[in-house]
Amino acid sequence: QVQLVESGGGLVQAGGSLRLSCVALGHPFSRATMGWFRQAPGKERDFVATISGSGGSTKYADSVKGRFTISRDNAANTLYLQMNSLKPEDTAVYYCAYGSSYLSSRAYDYGDWGQGTQVTVSS
C-alpha cells in the first residue's frame, strides 16, 4: 500500500492555471506508473493523464492534450499536474493514483488513491 496526499486545488477563472501536487509514501516511487483522474458531479471517474516510473513516458486524455502536463519528482516522491488554459468543463474533483500497469488509463489498474482535491473553473 501507498499513501497519497494531494494539494493545489481551488477556484480559478476560465483561462487560468493551477498546479496540483501529490506526495506518495510507502513504496518505491520511481518504480510505479502514476496517474491523475477526475470526477465531475454526476459523472464517473475519468482518466486525465499518466506517467511512467522514470517520468520518460506520458499519456493524456484527448480533452486535456496541449493544456495539461503531468510530471514527477522521484527524489521528492511527488507527482504534479500542471493545468493551463482551464475551461469550465475541467471542473471536477481530481485524484492522484498509484498503479502497477504501465501507462494505464483504466481506473481499475490503480490500487491506491489520494483523497481528491476540488478544482472549480468559473466562466
Side-chain angles (χ1 to χ4, degrees), residues 3-23:
Q3 299 178 47
L4 306 173
V5 182
E6 300 180 350
S7 61
L11 174 64
V12 298
Q13 297 183 56
S17 298
L18 283 174
R19 187 180 71 164
L20 307 183
S21 300
C22 175
V23 178

Side-chain angles (χ1 to χ4, degrees), residues 1-3 24-32 72 74 77 98-100 112:
Q1 292 184 313
V2 62
Q3 299 178 47
L25 299 172
H27 276 53
F29 187 77
S30 64
R31 299 180 185 179
R72 64 197 298 163
N74 286 345
N77 283 359
Y98 180 100
S100 298
D112 297 284

Side-chain angles (χ1 to χ4, degrees), residues 6-22 36 38 48 60 64 66-71 79-94 116-122:
E6 300 180 350
S7 61
L11 174 64
V12 298
Q13 297 183 56
S17 298
L18 283 174
R19 187 180 71 164
L20 307 183
S21 300
C22 175
W36 287 98
R38 65 188 182 186
V48 176
Y60 297 90
V64 306
R67 300 188 298 119
F68 291 10
T69 302
I70 188 171
S71 62
L79 177 73
Y80 300 99
L81 185 67
Q82 178 66 47
M83 304 185 294
N84 298 326
S85 301
L86 283 162
K87 305 174 180 179
E89 52 262 45
D90 295 318
T91 295
V93 177
Y94 283 70
T117 185
Q118 177 70 48
V119 172
T120 302
V121 184
S122 62

Side-chain angles (χ1 to χ4, degrees), residues 40-57:
K43 297 183 65 178
E44 296 296 315
R45 190 170 299 183
D46 292 329
F47 168 72
V48 176
T50 185
I51 187 167
S52 62
S54 69
S57 298

